[in-house]
Amino acid sequence: MAVVETRDLTKVFKEGQLGAVNNVNLETREGEFLVFLGPSGSGKTTLLRMIAGLETPSSGEILIGGRVVNDLSPRDRRIAMVFQSYALYPHLSVYKNIAFPLKAQNVKKELHKEKVEWAASLLGIGALLDRKPRELSGGERQRVALARAIVREPAVFLLDEPLSNLDAKLRASAREELERFHRRVGTTTIYVTHDQVEAMAMGDRVVVLNKGVVRQLGTPTDVYDNPADTFVATFLGSPPMNLAELGDVIVGFRPEHFRPVSTITDAALPFRFNVENIEYLGSEWIVSGTLKGGKLDGKKVFSRLSSAQNLQLGGRYEFAVPQQHLKFFDRSSEKRAEPRAVSWQ
Amino acid sequence: MAVARNKRMSIGAAQSPLLGAAMFSPAVLYILLLVGGPFLLAILYAFSDARIGNTEMHFVGLENFRSILQSPSFRVAIRNSFIFTICSQIVVIVGANILAIALEKAFRGRGLIRFLILMPWVAPISLGAIGWKWILDSIYSVITWVLVAMHIYKPFSAPMWLGEPHLAIASVLLVHSWRLMPFSTVILLAGRTAIPKDIPEAAAVDGSGFWRTQLQIVIPMMRPIISVAVLFGLIFTFTDMTVVYILTAGGPFDSTQTLPSLAFALGIQGSDLAAGAAISLFLVPLLVILAYFMLRVAHRAEVN
């Protein structure tokens, strides 16, 4: 097990252009499940590939287990990686796929069978060892890829969107399985995804990336409840945080905190809300509409309610946001700012 | 949806069966006239005593085959056909793999080098072979000149590339390999680019070095495309007579004769149509087997 650290890590693909990864400083914790979360093009995969040794950094350092590994080839970094496509070797049986890292690392031949069977049983694919990858379902392929990664007991696991090729139903169960798998083996894991649900559900901590820059590093609760800037605030949550400009400050509030006044007992900022659309999602309702009156007249906002049965399309209602759930961002830097008294009237 | 479309199409075809036949007929005519006709004629000649300049023809049964099998030149020709075909394929596949690996990654001037490598395939075989005839000539050979200049050989005692049986065989082999290399390189290059980049990367992360990745992952994955290159190469080499004919005309002493060149030498140049036809018929079963595998491989490549 080991800790991965990056120091001012930068990758510029084309001279003179903005880097894909810019001055990233990160440090995992021992045995941690760290998630890189960001939209496509945010540099999360490039960052992971640099850690794996598949991409050469333009500047900065990568440390694994306290040792600078910039000049080490992937094979010498004691890492294992699961690719988005799984990258199974199509001409080899499942057994040979899993045994390949052992062969490549010159592990004694007598040990192969035992180790392959151990990895396969850990992932419940013991019965598939004679099959070829093309005869497997998506979920089975993913497990083979994981077994191949774990078989030589690496110091660090790198997972590049391993669930994105599975259908929605399978994804939920595969996610749970991955979490259980991580708890059992306890290896430091870096997981790349663009899916905030995966990031929130699986990560011990989440790194939110945008345009090659780390926007925030924190626990899922941290990044959701205390977003460092407006990007993090709107990237996490569905529908995203409502943002409204008031003078030199941006006020943000989550849809679930924007509720009818009657349901709020604490001190709250009141709004007049014109309901324009109501979506019923089973366990909750998503209500969208515009604010009325004052400086925020016409501002589109979302509300997430457990019940919206007494709301009418086109109706105007008194809504409010509890004071403690108002987030403030500086208007020019878009970074988190100190709470202050605001009024939209 | 697919069913409905099929139905509509079959109705459309049924409405004008003549159109289908008309579209198809040039291909059929071409094959019947230029392939089927000569082939039947060859079978006819092979069982007769047909000669150029003689209008009479008698059925002689298997006499031609019997006498061919006893002829030493025929045995040499059969041996050479196999040597040239198999050895040149080995050289070509090894060489083409190396070239394809070298040309896979982008570098300055790659386009030019790719173009140059393709040249032997684009140029007519006869011109290429004539060029090589000069390169290997007993008096004007540049290779000899270089060897003499390097003091490896003395003038006048240098090897006669096309004049000594073993050297002549090696020379023909070399030219065949030179000729086929670009074709295989292009095919293998295409096969290489078709392999997802993830796979060699996964191998690298799994701890595999360059050679292991190439030999155990990439090349096995390219097996279908390599089979295509090999099968085409086998047929091109096996049926080719231009290279031998121009370089050595089968000599010295029939030592580089192949089945096609011997058939030509006996049947056309030697006026013994019957013998020539019988020799060329020996090629048929082999080529049928090769063609069968070629179609199978092509089909499988499609499925994958």
Side-chain angles (χ1 to χ4, degrees):
Chain A
M1 256 176 274
V3 161
V4 177
E5 197 183 337
T6 69
R7 291 184 186 157
D8 288 325
L9 198 60
T10 298
K11 176 75 188 182
V12 181
F13 280 109
K14 237 184 195 159
E15 200 83 25
Q17 280 187 0
L18 191 69
V21 172
N22 301 298
N23 297 308
V24 169
N25 289 289
L26 288 173
E27 194 178 345
T28 67
R29 293 177 188 150
E30 194 77 45
E32 179 181 40
F33 198 109
L34 184 69
V35 177
F36 291 175
L37 173 68
S40 59
S42 61
K44 53 192 191 305
T45 296
T46 308
L47 189 53
L48 189 80
R49 288 170 57 84
M50 284 195 281
I51 294 170
L54 295 171
E55 211 81 67
T56 320
S58 306
S59 64
E61 284 182 333
I62 301 159
L63 291 88
I64 297 177
R67 197 160 60 120
V68 177
V69 296
N70 282 40
D71 296 330
L72 295 186
S73 65
R75 60 180 297 182
D76 297 323
R77 295 190 182 196
R78 293 193 55 224
I79 45 152
M81 183 159 168
V82 174
F83 290 74
Q84 186 171 8
S85 63
Y86 310 137
L88 299 179
Y89 310 127
H91 59 296
L92 299 180
S93 66
V94 168
Y95 180 93
K96 287 188 172 164
N97 260 282
I98 302 175
F100 185 77
L102 301 175
K103 241 165 79 179
Q105 304 264 358
N106 299 320
V107 173
K108 268 194 231 128
K109 194 131 201 202
E110 307 90 78
L111 298 173
H112 287 195
K113 194 167 186 290
E114 186 193 329
K115 285 191 175 260
V116 170
E117 279 168 2
W118 165 75
S121 69
L122 203 58
L123 287 146
I125 48 170
L128 306 175
L129 291 177
D130 295 329
R131 304 244 193 112
K132 286 278 178 68
R134 64 165 178 278
E135 299 164 333
L136 303 177
S137 70
E140 288 166 342
R141 282 178 204 189
Q142 192 229 359
R143 280 185 234 176
V144 174
L146 272 172
R148 188 176 70 184
I150 196 186
V151 73
R152 68 199 151 94
E153 299 168 62
V156 178
F157 267 130
L158 306 176
L159 309 178
D160 185 9
E161 311 221 14
L163 302 183
S164 61
N165 284 340
L166 303 179
D167 59 56
K169 210 170 166 186
L170 202 53
R171 204 176 301 168
S173 66
R175 195 173 74 209
E176 199 198 317
E177 225 167 86
L178 256 177
E179 286 171 75
R180 229 179 304 143
F181 173 75
H182 176 252
R183 276 198 295 272
R184 200 161 33 189
V185 297
T187 308
T188 308
T189 302
I190 300 180
Y191 184 102
V192 163
T193 184
H194 64 266
D195 183 335
Q196 46 164 317
V197 179
E198 281 174 24
M200 300 290 284
M202 304 170 82
D204 291 325
R205 289 190 302 162
V206 177
V207 179
V208 185
L209 286 151
N210 188 37
K211 295 183 183 159
V213 174
V214 175
R215 293 307 188 97
Q216 189 168 6
L217 166 58
T219 62
T221 356
D222 265 346
V223 292
Y224 189 78
D225 290 342
N226 295 306
D229 60 20
T230 52
F231 173 79
V232 179
T234 48
F235 188 68
L236 285 161
S238 168
M241 182 179 273
N242 297 303
L243 294 179
E245 286 181 20
L246 278 173
D248 60 349
V249 76
I250 298 171
V251 179
F253 47 91
R254 293 267 173 218
E256 58 268 34
H257 300 135
F258 182 60
R259 301 200 305 263
V261 162
S262 55
T263 63
I264 300 172
T265 50
D266 305 333
L269 183 66
F271 292 101
R272 240 168 282 142
F273 181 46
N274 201 28
V275 173
E276 286 164 5
N277 193 31
I278 300 178
E279 288 176 345
Y280 172 58
L281 300 181
S283 62
E284 59 181 21
W285 301 70
I286 304 294
V287 181
S288 64
T290 47
L291 299 179
K292 282 286 153 206
K295 289 181 233 165
L296 294 176
D297 192 53
K299 173 75 193 164
K300 189 168 164 81
V301 289
F302 290 95
S303 166
R304 185 213 300 266
L305 300 170
S306 53
S307 167
Q309 269 152 326
N310 45 9
L311 298 182
Q312 299 282 321
L313 273 183
R316 189 168 297 182
Y317 299 92
E318 297 299 321
F319 268 54
V321 180
Q323 286 289 350
Q324 84 253 29
H325 290 310
L326 287 173
K327 313 291 171 196
F328 298 86
F329 303 93
D330 186 79
R331 196 179 149 189
S332 50
S333 69
E334 302 195 331
K335 295 243 185 294
R336 194 65 187 279
E338 287 303 308
R340 63 191 79 177
V342 286
S343 162
W344 50 267
Q345 260 130 0
Chain B
M1 183 68 197
V3 174
R5 199 184 296 158
N6 278 343
K7 213 171 219 170
R8 209 165 46 232
M9 272 180 66
S10 64
I11 290 169
Q15 277 168 344
S16 57
L18 280 180
L19 179 69
M23 302 292 272
F24 198 58
S25 57
V28 172
L29 266 177
Y30 173 83
I31 291 171
L32 282 182
L33 287 178
L34 293 172
V35 181
F39 179 60
L40 289 178
L41 216 55
I43 294 177
L44 185 69
Y45 286 161
F47 294 95
S48 76
D49 60 354
R51 295 185 64 82
I52 290 177
N54 190 345
T55 48
E56 275 182 44
M57 202 163 78
H58 308 94
F59 179 74
V60 295
L62 292 171
E63 181 56 33
N64 288 316
F65 294 97
R66 205 178 52 77
S67 78
I68 287 169
L69 282 171
Q70 282 171 351
S71 127
S73 349
F74 175 77
R75 269 177 250 150
V76 171
I78 252 197
R79 188 203 68 190
N80 283 345
S81 276
F82 278 97
I83 289 180
F84 290 155
T85 309
I86 292 167
C87 294
S88 68
Q89 283 318 299
I90 294 171
V91 174
V92 164
I93 288 306
V94 172
N97 261 306
I98 293 171
L99 278 176
I101 291 172
L103 289 174
E104 196 184 9
K105 281 218 177 78
F107 58 86
R108 204 180 255 273
R110 178 173 70 166
L112 180 72
I113 291 182
R114 278 192 183 187
F115 170 75
L116 288 177
I117 284 176
L118 210 58
M119 287 307 281
W121 185 252
V122 184
I125 323 178
S126 44
L127 287 185
I130 290 171
W132 277 103
K133 193 181 165 82
W134 280 93
I135 294 173
L136 299 167
D137 188 87
S138 55
I139 297 168
Y140 305 109
S141 165
V142 264
I143 297 178
T144 307
W145 186 87
V146 170
L147 291 176
V148 168
M150 289 168 72
H151 300 289
I152 292 173
Y153 285 104
K154 287 198 173 69
F156 309 113
S157 69
M160 308 270 271
W161 305 111
L162 300 173
E164 296 161 39
H166 283 106
L167 285 178
I169 287 175
S171 300
V172 172
L173 228 161
L174 170 82
V175 176
H176 269 306
S177 309
W178 169 84
R179 157 108 187 116
L180 275 176
M181 195 85 79
F183 174 74
S184 295
T185 306
V186 168
I187 289 190
L188 295 193
L189 208 49
R192 224 159 240 287
T193 16
I195 293 178
K197 230 179 74 202
D198 283 0
I199 289 191
E201 283 181 353
V205 173
D206 281 346
S208 168
F210 174 80
W211 288 108
R212 187 188 295 276
T213 305
Q214 291 303 326
L215 296 176
Q216 295 184 4
I217 304 291
V218 175
I219 290 176
M221 278 181 75
M222 286 167 61
R223 211 173 56 192
I225 200 104
I226 291 178
S227 326
V228 171
V230 168
L231 281 173
F232 273 93
L234 288 176
I235 290 186
F236 282 136
T237 318
F238 204 72
T239 57
D240 179 77
M241 66 158 282
T242 322
V243 172
V244 170
Y245 183 68
I246 290 178
L247 279 187
T248 64
F253 325 116
D254 277 356
S255 62
T256 55
Q257 210 70 272
T258 61
L259 287 181
S261 68
L262 185 66
F264 182 76
L266 286 183
I268 308 295
Q269 293 176 317
S271 308
D272 192 351
L273 273 181
I279 291 170
S280 37
L281 280 190
F282 270 95
L283 291 167
V284 173
L286 269 167
L287 292 176
V288 165
I289 293 170
L290 283 179
Y292 168 77
F293 279 111
M294 209 151 119
L295 290 175
R296 246 182 64 155
V297 165
H299 178 71
R300 216 182 314 154
E302 243 170 68
V303 172
N304 286 339

